[in-house]
Coordinates of all heavy atoms in Angstrom, one line a residue:
M8 N 195.0 153.8 91.0 CA 195.4 153.3 92.3 C 195.5 151.8 92.2 O 194.8 151.1 91.5 CB 194.3 153.5 93.4 CG 194.4 154.8 94.0 SD 193.3 154.8 95.4 CE 193.0 156.5 95.6
D9 N 196.6 151.3 92.9 CA 196.8 149.9 92.9 C 196.1 149.2 94.0 O 195.5 149.8 94.8 CB 198.3 149.6 93.0 CG 198.9 150.0 94.3 OD1 198.3 150.9 95.0 OD2 200.0 149.5 94.6
Q10 N 196.0 147.9 93.9 CA 195.3 147.1 94.8 C 195.7 147.3 96.3 O 195.0 147.3 97.3 CB 195.3 145.6 94.5 CG 194.7 145.4 93.1 CD 193.5 144.5 93.2 OE1 193.3 143.9 94.2 NE2 192.8 144.5 92.1
G11 N 196.9 147.4 96.5 CA 197.6 147.6 98.0 C 197.1 148.9 98.6 O 196.7 148.9 99.7
M12 N 197.0 150.0 97.7 CA 196.6 151.3 98.3 C 195.0 151.2 98.7 O 194.6 151.7 99.5 CB 196.7 152.4 97.3 CG 196.4 153.7 97.7 SD 197.4 154.3 99.1 CE 198.5 155.2 98.2
I13 N 194.3 150.6 97.8 CA 192.8 150.5 98.1 C 192.6 149.6 99.3 O 191.8 149.9 100.2 CB 192.1 149.7 96.8 CG1 192.2 150.7 95.6 CG2 190.7 149.4 97.2 CD1 191.6 150.1 94.3
F14 N 193.4 148.5 99.5 CA 193.3 147.7 100.7 C 193.6 148.6 101.9 O 192.8 148.4 102.9 CB 194.3 146.4 100.6 CG 194.2 145.6 101.7 CD1 193.1 144.8 102.0 CD2 195.2 145.6 102.7 CE1 193.0 143.9 103.1 CE2 195.2 144.8 103.8 CZ 194.0 144.0 104.1
V15 N 194.6 149.3 102.0 CA 194.9 150.2 103.0 C 193.9 151.2 103.4 O 193.6 151.4 104.5 CB 196.3 151.0 102.8 CG1 196.6 152.1 103.8 CG2 197.4 149.9 102.7
L16 N 193.2 151.8 102.3 CA 192.2 152.7 102.5 C 190.8 152.1 103.1 O 190.2 152.6 104.0 CB 191.8 153.4 101.2 CG 192.8 154.5 100.7 CD1 192.4 154.9 99.3 CD2 193.0 155.6 101.7
V17 N 190.7 150.8 102.7 CA 189.5 150.1 103.2 C 189.7 149.8 104.7 O 188.9 149.9 105.5 CB 189.3 148.8 102.4 CG1 188.3 147.9 103.2 CG2 188.8 149.1 101.0
I18 N 190.9 149.4 105.1 CA 191.2 149.0 106.4 C 191.1 150.4 107.3 O 190.5 150.4 108.3 CB 192.7 148.4 106.6 CG1 192.8 147.2 105.8 CG2 193.1 148.4 108.0 CD1 191.9 146.1 106.5
L19 N 191.6 151.4 106.7 CA 191.5 152.7 107.4 C 190.1 153.1 107.6 O 189.8 153.5 108.8 CB 192.3 153.8 106.7 CG 192.3 155.2 107.2 CD1 193.1 155.3 108.4 CD2 192.7 156.2 106.1
F20 N 189.2 153.1 106.7 CA 187.9 153.5 106.8 C 187.1 152.5 107.6 O 186.2 152.8 108.4 CB 187.3 153.8 105.3 CG 187.6 155.1 104.9 CD1 188.4 155.1 103.7 CD2 187.2 156.3 105.4 CE1 188.9 156.3 103.2 CE2 187.6 157.5 104.8 CZ 188.4 157.5 103.8
A21 N 187.4 151.2 107.5 CA 186.6 150.2 108.2 C 186.9 149.9 109.6 O 186.1 149.8 110.4 CB 186.8 148.9 107.4
F22 N 188.2 150.2 110.0 CA 188.5 150.0 111.4 C 189.1 151.1 112.2 O 188.6 151.4 113.3 CB 189.6 148.8 111.5 CG 189.0 147.5 110.9 CD1 189.5 147.1 109.6 CD2 188.2 146.8 111.6 CE1 188.9 145.8 109.1 CE2 187.6 145.6 111.1 CZ 188.1 145.0 109.9
V23 N 190.0 151.9 111.6 CA 190.7 153.0 112.3 C 189.7 154.1 112.5 O 189.6 154.7 113.6 CB 191.9 153.4 111.6 CG1 192.5 154.6 112.3 CG2 192.9 152.2 111.5
L24 N 189.0 154.6 111.5 CA 188.2 155.8 111.5 C 187.0 155.6 112.6 O 186.9 156.5 113.3 CB 187.7 156.1 110.1 CG 187.3 157.6 109.9 CD1 188.6 158.4 110.2 CD2 186.9 157.8 108.4
P25 N 186.4 154.4 112.6 CA 185.3 154.2 113.7 C 185.9 154.3 115.1 O 185.2 154.8 116.1 CB 184.7 152.9 113.4 CG 184.9 152.7 111.9 CD 186.2 153.5 111.6
L26 N 187.1 153.7 115.3 CA 187.7 153.8 116.6 C 188.0 155.2 117.0 O 187.8 155.6 118.2 CB 189.0 152.9 116.6 CG 188.9 151.4 116.5 CD1 190.2 150.8 116.4 CD2 188.1 150.9 117.7
V27 N 188.4 156.1 116.1 CA 188.6 157.5 116.4 C 187.4 158.1 116.8 O 187.3 158.9 117.8 CB 189.3 158.2 115.2 CG1 189.4 159.7 115.4 CG2 190.7 157.6 114.9
F28 N 186.3 157.9 116.0 CA 185.0 158.5 116.4 C 184.5 158.0 117.7 O 183.9 158.8 118.5 CB 184.0 158.3 115.3 CG 184.2 159.1 114.0 CD1 184.3 158.5 112.8 CD2 184.4 160.5 114.1 CE1 184.5 159.1 111.6 CE2 184.7 161.2 112.9 CZ 184.6 160.6 111.7
V29 N 184.6 156.7 118.0 CA 184.2 156.2 119.3 C 185.0 156.9 120.5 O 184.5 157.3 121.4 CB 184.3 154.7 119.3 CG1 184.2 154.2 120.8 CG2 183.3 154.1 118.5
G30 N 186.3 157.0 120.3 CA 187.1 157.7 121.2 C 186.7 159.1 121.5 O 186.7 159.7 122.5
I31 N 186.5 159.8 120.4 CA 186.0 161.3 120.5 C 184.6 161.3 121.2 O 184.4 162.1 122.1 CB 185.9 161.9 119.2 CG1 187.3 162.1 118.6 CG2 185.1 163.3 119.1 CD1 187.3 162.6 117.0
W32 N 183.8 160.4 120.8 CA 182.5 160.4 121.5 C 182.4 160.1 122.9 O 181.7 160.8 123.7 CB 181.5 159.4 120.7 CG 180.1 159.3 121.3 CD1 179.6 158.2 122.0 CD2 179.1 160.2 121.2 NE1 178.4 158.6 122.3 CE2 178.0 159.7 121.9 CE3 178.9 161.5 120.5 CZ2 176.8 160.4 122.0 CZ3 177.7 162.1 120.6 CH2 176.7 161.6 121.4
T33 N 183.2 159.1 123.3 CA 183.3 158.8 124.7 C 184.0 159.9 125.5 O 183.5 160.1 126.7 CB 184.0 157.4 125.0 OG1 185.4 157.5 124.4 CG2 183.2 156.3 124.4
G34 N 184.9 160.6 124.9 CA 185.6 161.7 125.6 C 184.6 162.8 125.8 O 184.5 163.5 126.9
H35 N 183.7 163.1 124.8 CA 182.7 164.1 124.9 C 181.6 163.7 126.0 O 181.3 164.6 126.9 CB 181.9 164.3 123.5 CG 180.7 165.0 123.7 ND1 180.8 166.3 123.7 CD2 179.4 164.7 123.6 CE1 179.6 166.9 123.8 NE2 178.7 165.9 123.6
K36 N 181.3 162.4 126.0 CA 180.3 162.1 127.1 C 180.9 162.2 128.6 O 180.3 162.6 129.4 CB 179.9 160.6 126.9 CG 179.0 160.3 125.7 CD 177.7 161.1 125.8 CE 176.6 160.2 125.7 NZ 175.4 160.8 125.9
K37 N 182.2 161.9 128.7 CA 182.8 162.0 129.9 C 182.8 163.5 130.3 O 182.6 163.8 131.6 CB 184.2 161.5 129.9 CG 185.0 161.4 131.3 CD 186.4 161.1 131.2 CE 186.8 159.9 130.4 NZ 188.2 159.6 130.4
D38 N 183.2 164.4 129.5 CA 183.3 165.8 129.7 C 181.8 166.3 130.1 O 181.8 167.1 131.0 CB 183.8 166.6 128.6 CG 185.2 166.3 128.3 OD1 186.0 165.8 129.2 OD2 185.7 166.6 127.2
M39 N 180.9 165.9 129.4 CA 179.5 166.3 129.7 C 179.0 165.8 131.1 O 178.4 166.5 131.9 CB 178.6 165.8 128.7 CG 178.7 166.4 127.3 SD 178.6 168.3 127.3 CE 176.9 168.5 127.7
A40 N 179.4 164.7 131.4 CA 179.1 164.1 132.8 C 179.8 164.8 133.9 O 179.2 165.1 135.0 CB 179.5 162.6 132.9
K41 N 181.0 165.3 133.6 CA 181.8 166.0 134.6 C 181.2 167.3 134.9 O 181.0 167.8 135.9 CB 183.3 166.1 134.1 CG 184.1 166.9 135.1 CD 185.5 167.0 134.6 CE 186.4 167.8 135.5 NZ 187.8 167.9 135.0
M42 N 180.7 168.0 133.7 CA 180.1 169.3 133.8 C 178.7 169.2 134.5 O 178.3 170.0 135.3 CB 179.9 169.9 132.4 CG 181.2 170.4 131.8 SD 181.0 170.9 130.1 CE 179.9 172.1 130.2
N43 N 178.0 168.2 134.3 CA 176.7 167.9 134.9 C 176.9 167.7 136.4 O 176.2 168.2 137.1 CB 176.1 166.6 134.3 CG 174.6 166.6 134.7 OD1 174.0 167.5 135.1 ND2 174.1 165.4 134.6
T44 N 177.9 167.0 136.8 CA 178.2 166.8 138.2 C 178.6 168.1 138.9 O 178.1 168.5 140.0 CB 179.4 165.9 138.4 OG1 179.0 164.6 137.8 CG2 179.7 165.6 139.9
E45 N 179.3 169.0 138.3 CA 179.7 170.3 138.8 C 178.5 171.1 138.9 O 178.2 171.8 139.9 CB 180.8 170.9 137.9 CG 182.1 170.3 138.0 CD 183.2 170.7 137.1 OE1 182.7 171.7 136.3 OE2 184.2 170.4 137.1
L46 N 177.6 171.1 137.9 CA 176.4 171.9 138.0 C 175.4 171.4 139.1 O 174.9 172.2 139.8 CB 175.6 171.8 136.6 CG 174.3 172.5 136.5 CD1 174.6 174.0 136.7 CD2 173.6 172.1 135.2
N47 N 175.4 170.1 139.3 CA 174.5 169.5 140.4 C 175.1 170.1 141.7 O 174.3 170.3 142.5 CB 174.4 168.1 140.3 CG 173.5 167.6 139.2 OD1 172.7 168.3 138.6 ND2 173.7 166.4 138.7
N48 N 176.4 170.0 141.9 CA 177.0 170.4 143.1 C 176.7 171.8 143.4 O 176.3 172.2 144.5 CB 178.5 170.2 143.2 CG 178.8 168.6 143.2 OD1 178.0 168.0 143.7 ND2 180.0 168.3 142.8
S49 N 176.7 172.7 142.4 CA 176.5 174.2 142.6 C 175.0 174.3 142.9 O 174.6 175.2 143.8 CB 176.9 175.0 141.4 OG 176.0 174.7 140.2
E50 N 174.1 173.6 142.2 CA 172.7 173.6 142.6 C 172.4 173.2 144.0 O 171.6 173.8 144.6 CB 171.9 172.8 141.5 CG 171.8 173.4 140.2 CD 171.0 172.6 139.2 OE1 170.7 171.4 139.5 OE2 170.8 173.0 138.1
K51 N 173.0 172.2 144.4 CA 172.9 171.6 145.7 C 173.3 172.6 146.7 O 172.6 172.8 147.8 CB 173.7 170.3 145.9 CG 173.1 169.1 145.3 CD 174.0 167.9 145.5 CE 173.6 166.6 144.5 NZ 174.5 165.6 144.7
Q52 N 174.4 173.3 146.5 CA 174.8 174.3 147.5 C 174.0 175.5 147.4 O 173.6 176.0 148.5 CB 176.3 174.9 147.0 CG 176.9 175.8 147.9 CD 177.1 175.2 149.3 OE1 177.5 174.1 149.4 NE2 176.9 175.9 150.3
K53 N 173.4 175.9 146.3 CA 172.4 177.0 146.2 C 171.1 176.7 147.1 O 170.7 177.4 147.9 CB 172.0 177.3 144.8 CG 171.0 178.3 144.6 CD 170.6 178.5 143.2 CE 169.6 179.6 143.0 NZ 169.1 179.7 141.7
I54 N 170.7 175.4 147.0 CA 169.5 175.0 147.7 C 169.8 174.9 149.2 O 169.0 175.3 150.0 CB 169.0 173.7 147.2 CG1 168.3 173.7 145.8 CG2 167.9 173.0 148.1 CD1 168.0 172.5 145.0
A55 N 171.0 174.5 149.6 CA 171.4 174.4 151.0 C 171.4 175.8 151.5 O 171.0 176.1 152.7 CB 172.7 173.6 151.1
N56 N 171.9 176.8 150.9 CA 172.1 178.2 151.2 C 170.5 178.7 151.4 O 170.3 179.4 152.4 CB 172.8 179.0 150.3 CG 174.2 178.7 150.4 OD1 174.7 178.1 151.3 ND2 174.9 179.1 149.3
E57 N 169.7 178.4 150.5 CA 168.3 179.0 150.7 C 167.6 178.3 151.9 O 166.8 178.9 152.6 CB 167.5 178.5 149.4 CG 167.8 179.5 148.2 CD 166.9 179.2 147.1 OE1 165.7 179.0 147.2 OE2 167.4 179.1 145.9
F58 N 167.8 177.0 152.1 CA 167.2 176.3 153.2 C 167.7 177.0 154.5 O 166.9 177.2 155.4 CB 167.7 174.9 153.2 CG 167.1 174.1 154.3 CD1 165.8 173.7 154.5 CD2 168.0 173.6 155.4 CE1 165.3 173.1 155.6 CE2 167.4 172.9 156.4 CZ 166.2 172.6 156.5
E59 N 169.0 177.3 154.6 CA 169.5 177.9 155.8 C 168.9 179.3 156.0 O 168.6 179.7 157.2 CB 171.0 178.0 155.8 CG 171.8 176.7 155.9 CD 171.5 176.0 157.2 OE1 171.4 176.7 158.3 OE2 171.3 174.8 157.3
A60 N 168.7 180.0 155.0 CA 168.1 181.3 155.1 C 166.6 181.2 155.6 O 166.2 182.0 156.5 CB 168.1 182.1 153.7
V61 N 165.9 180.2 154.9 CA 164.5 180.0 155.5 C 164.5 179.6 156.9 O 163.6 180.1 157.6 CB 163.8 179.0 154.5 CG1 162.5 178.6 155.0 CG2 163.6 179.6 153.1
K62 N 165.4 178.8 157.3 CA 165.5 178.3 158.7 C 165.7 179.4 159.6 O 165.1 179.5 160.6 CB 166.6 177.2 158.7 CG 166.7 176.4 160.0 CD 167.6 175.3 159.9 CE 168.1 174.8 161.2 NZ 169.2 173.9 161.0
A63 N 166.6 180.3 159.3 CA 166.9 181.5 160.1 C 165.6 182.4 160.2 O 165.4 182.8 161.3 CB 168.0 182.3 159.5
R64 N 164.9 182.5 159.1 CA 163.7 183.4 159.2 C 162.6 182.8 160.1 O 161.9 183.4 160.8 CB 163.2 183.5 157.7 CG 164.0 184.6 157.0 CD 163.3 184.8 155.6 NE 164.3 185.2 154.6 CZ 164.4 184.7 153.4 NH1 163.4 183.8 153.0 NH2 165.3 185.1 152.6
L65 N 162.6 181.5 159.9 CA 161.5 180.7 160.8 C 161.9 180.8 162.2 O 161.0 181.1 163.1 CB 161.5 179.3 160.3 CG 160.5 178.4 161.1 CD1 159.1 178.8 160.9 CD2 160.7 176.9 160.7
E66 N 163.1 180.8 162.6 CA 163.5 181.0 164.0 C 163.1 182.3 164.4 O 162.7 182.5 165.6 CB 165.1 180.7 164.1 CG 165.4 179.3 163.9 CD 166.9 179.1 163.9 OE1 167.6 180.0 164.1 OE2 167.3 177.9 163.9
V67 N 163.3 183.3 163.7 CA 162.9 184.7 164.1 C 161.5 184.8 164.2 O 160.9 185.3 165.3 CB 163.5 185.7 163.0 CG1 162.8 187.1 163.3 CG2 165.0 185.8 163.1
L68 N 160.8 184.2 163.4 CA 159.2 184.3 163.5 C 158.8 183.5 164.7 O 157.9 184.0 165.3 CB 158.7 183.7 162.3 CG 158.7 184.6 160.9 CD1 158.2 184.0 159.7 CD2 157.9 185.9 161.1
E69 N 159.3 182.3 164.9 CA 159.0 181.7 166.1 C 159.3 182.4 167.4 O 158.4 182.5 168.3 CB 159.8 180.3 166.2 CG 159.3 179.3 165.2 CD 160.1 178.0 165.3 OE1 161.2 178.0 165.8 OE2 159.6 177.0 164.8
A70 N 160.4 183.1 167.4 CA 160.7 184.0 168.6 C 159.8 185.1 168.8 O 159.3 185.4 169.9 CB 162.1 184.6 168.5
I71 N 159.3 185.6 167.7 CA 158.3 186.7 167.8 C 157.0 186.2 168.3 O 156.4 186.8 169.2 CB 158.1 187.5 166.3 CG1 159.4 188.2 166.1 CG2 156.9 188.4 166.4 CD1 159.4 188.7 164.6
V72 N 156.5 185.2 167.7 CA 155.1 184.7 168.0 C 155.2 184.1 169.5 O 154.2 184.3 170.2 CB 154.8 183.6 167.0 CG1 153.6 182.9 167.5 CG2 154.5 184.2 165.7
T73 N 156.2 183.5 170.0 CA 156.2 182.9 171.3 C 156.6 184.1 172.3 O 156.5 183.7 173.6 CB 157.1 181.8 171.4 OG1 158.5 182.2 171.0 CG2 156.7 180.7 170.5
D74 N 156.8 185.3 171.9 CA 157.1 186.3 172.8 C 155.9 186.7 173.7 O 154.8 186.9 173.0 CB 157.8 187.5 172.1 CG 158.2 188.6 173.0 OD1 158.6 188.4 174.1 OD2 158.2 189.8 172.6
K75 N 156.0 186.9 175.0 CA 154.9 187.2 175.9 C 154.3 188.6 175.4 O 153.0 188.7 175.4 CB 155.3 187.3 177.2 CG 155.8 186.0 177.7 CD 154.7 185.0 178.2 CE 155.4 183.9 178.8 NZ 154.5 182.7 178.8
K76 N 155.1 189.5 175.0 CA 154.6 190.8 174.6 C 153.7 190.7 173.4 O 152.6 191.4 173.3 CB 155.7 191.8 174.4 CG 156.4 192.2 175.7 CD 157.6 193.1 175.4 CE 158.3 193.4 176.6 NZ 159.6 194.2 176.2
Y77 N 154.2 189.9 172.5 CA 153.3 189.8 171.3 C 152.0 189.1 171.5 O 151.0 189.6 171.0 CB 154.1 188.8 170.2 CG 153.4 188.6 168.9 CD1 153.3 189.5 167.9 CD2 152.7 187.4 168.8 CE1 152.7 189.2 166.8 CE2 152.0 187.0 167.7 CZ 151.9 188.0 166.6 OH 151.2 187.8 165.4
Q78 N 152.1 188.1 172.3 CA 150.8 187.5 172.7 C 149.8 188.4 173.4 O 148.6 188.4 173.2 CB 151.0 186.2 173.5 CG 151.7 185.1 172.7 CD 152.1 183.9 173.7 OE1 151.8 183.9 174.8 NE2 152.6 182.8 173.0
L79 N 150.4 189.2 174.3 CA 149.6 190.1 175.0 C 149.0 191.2 174.2 O 147.8 191.5 174.3 CB 150.5 190.8 176.2 CG 149.8 191.8 177.1 CD1 148.6 191.1 177.8 CD2 150.7 192.4 178.0
N80 N 149.7 191.6 173.2 CA 149.3 192.7 172.3 C 148.1 192.1 171.3 O 147.2 192.8 171.1 CB 150.4 193.2 171.4 CG 151.3 194.2 172.1 OD1 151.0 194.7 173.0 ND2 152.5 194.3 171.6
E81 N 148.2 190.9 171.0 CA 147.3 190.2 170.3 C 146.0 190.1 171.1 O 144.9 190.3 170.5 CB 147.7 188.7 169.9 CG 148.6 188.8 168.7 CD 148.3 189.3 167.4 OE1 147.1 188.9 167.0 OE2 148.8 190.2 166.9
E82 N 146.1 189.7 172.2 CA 144.8 189.5 173.2 C 144.2 191.0 173.3 O 143.0 191.1 173.3 CB 145.2 189.1 174.6 CG 145.5 187.6 174.4 CD 146.0 187.0 175.8 OE1 145.7 187.6 176.8 OE2 146.7 185.9 175.8
I83 N 145.1 192.0 173.5 CA 144.5 193.4 173.7 C 143.8 193.8 172.4 O 142.7 194.4 172.5 CB 145.5 194.3 174.1 CG1 146.1 194.1 175.6 CG2 145.2 195.7 174.0 CD1 147.3 194.8 176.0
D84 N 144.4 193.6 171.3 CA 143.8 193.9 170.0 C 142.5 193.3 169.7 O 141.6 193.9 169.3 CB 144.7 193.7 168.8 CG 145.9 194.7 168.8 OD1 145.8 195.8 169.4 OD2 147.0 194.3 168.1
S85 N 142.5 192.0 170.2 CA 141.2 191.3 169.9 C 140.1 191.8 170.9 O 138.9 191.8 170.4 CB 141.4 189.7 170.2 OG 141.7 189.4 171.6
L86 N 140.5 192.4 172.0 CA 139.4 192.9 172.9 C 139.0 194.2 172.4 O 137.8 194.7 172.6 CB 140.0 193.0 174.3 CG 140.2 191.8 175.1 CD1 141.0 192.0 176.4 CD2 139.0 191.1 175.4
R87 N 139.9 195.0 171.8 CA 139.6 196.3 171.2 C 138.5 196.2 170.1 O 137.7 197.1 169.8 CB 140.7 197.1 170.7 CG 141.6 197.5 171.9 CD 142.8 198.3 171.4 NE 143.6 198.8 172.5 CZ 144.9 199.0 172.4 NH1 145.5 199.0 171.2 NH2 145.6 199.4 173.4
Q88 N 138.5 195.2 169.3 CA 137.7 194.9 168.1 C 136.2 194.8 168.7 O 136.1 193.9 169.6 CB 138.1 193.9 167.3 CG 139.6 194.0 166.6 CD 139.9 192.9 165.9 OE1 139.3 191.9 165.8 NE2 141.1 193.0 165.2
P89 N 135.3 195.4 168.0 CA 134.0 195.2 168.5 C 133.5 193.7 168.1 O 133.8 193.1 167.1 CB 133.1 196.2 167.7 CG 133.9 196.6 166.5 CD 135.3 196.3 166.9
A90 N 132.7 193.1 169.1 CA 132.3 191.9 169.0 C 131.2 191.8 167.9 O 130.3 192.6 167.7 CB 131.7 191.3 170.3
K91 N 131.3 190.8 167.0 CA 130.4 190.7 165.9 C 129.2 189.9 166.4 O 129.3 188.8 167.0 CB 131.1 189.9 164.7 CG 132.2 190.6 164.1 CD 132.7 189.9 162.9 CE 133.9 190.6 162.3 NZ 134.5 189.9 161.2
R92 N 128.0 190.4 166.1 CA 126.8 189.9 166.6 C 126.2 189.0 165.4 O 126.1 189.5 164.4 CB 125.8 190.9 167.0 CG 126.3 191.7 168.2 CD 125.3 192.7 168.7 NE 125.8 193.5 169.7 CZ 125.4 194.7 170.0 NH1 124.5 195.3 169.3 NH2 126.0 195.4 170.9
P93 N 125.8 187.8 165.8 CA 125.2 187.0 164.6 C 123.8 187.6 164.4 O 123.1 188.1 165.2 CB 124.9 185.6 165.2 CG 125.3 185.8 166.7 CD 125.9 187.0 166.9
N94 N 123.4 187.7 163.2 CA 122.0 188.2 162.7 C 121.0 187.0 162.8 O 120.9 186.0 162.7 CB 122.2 188.6 161.2 CG 122.9 190.0 161.1 OD1 123.1 190.6 162.2 ND2 123.4 190.3 160.0

């Protein structure tokens, strides 16, 4: 090989190749950040859906417990149970 060819190869390996690797690496990081954001959005949506389901269940339970018939049945049941006597 002549000196000109060696100089071109040194320039190629010293400057161009690292720039290519940096470009590939930053592109990879950008793609990973985008995927992470999409994953976080889907997780947020899943949590929001679960929260709404729990909220709906809680409203149903509140309606049952505050219902007059439920309270009356609880009082009747407590009267039916024999009183515990302390020893």
Side-chain angles (χ1 to χ4, degrees):
M8 278 193 198
D9 64 342
Q10 296 249 341
M12 181 65 94
I13 292 174
F14 180 73
V15 169
L16 289 175
V17 167
I18 296 295
L19 178 70
F20 284 111
F22 296 107
V23 176
L24 209 51
L26 289 174
V27 170
F28 285 131
V29 167
I31 291 171
W32 178 254
T33 56
H35 170 73
K36 290 297 241 180
K37 187 192 306 181
D38 291 342
M39 293 303 290
K41 183 179 177 185
M42 289 173 59
N43 192 22
T44 302
E45 290 172 359
L46 179 64
N47 286 338
N48 288 339
S49 68
E50 287 177 354
K51 287 177 188 175
Q52 186 62 40
K53 180 181 173 185
I54 290 171
N56 291 342
E57 284 185 42
F58 178 73
E59 289 300 319
V61 169
K62 191 173 161 185
R64 289 186 206 135
L65 181 62
E66 289 173 356
V67 169
L68 289 174
E69 285 176 343
I71 291 171
V72 171
T73 57
D74 184 28
K75 298 279 186 200
K76 291 178 186 176
Y77 178 82
Q78 292 175 357
L79 183 60
N80 285 336
E81 286 295 310
E82 290 177 21
I83 292 171
D84 287 342
S85 69
L86 292 173
R87 287 183 182 157
Q88 295 175 358
K91 294 184 180 179
R92 295 182 185 153
N94 288 340

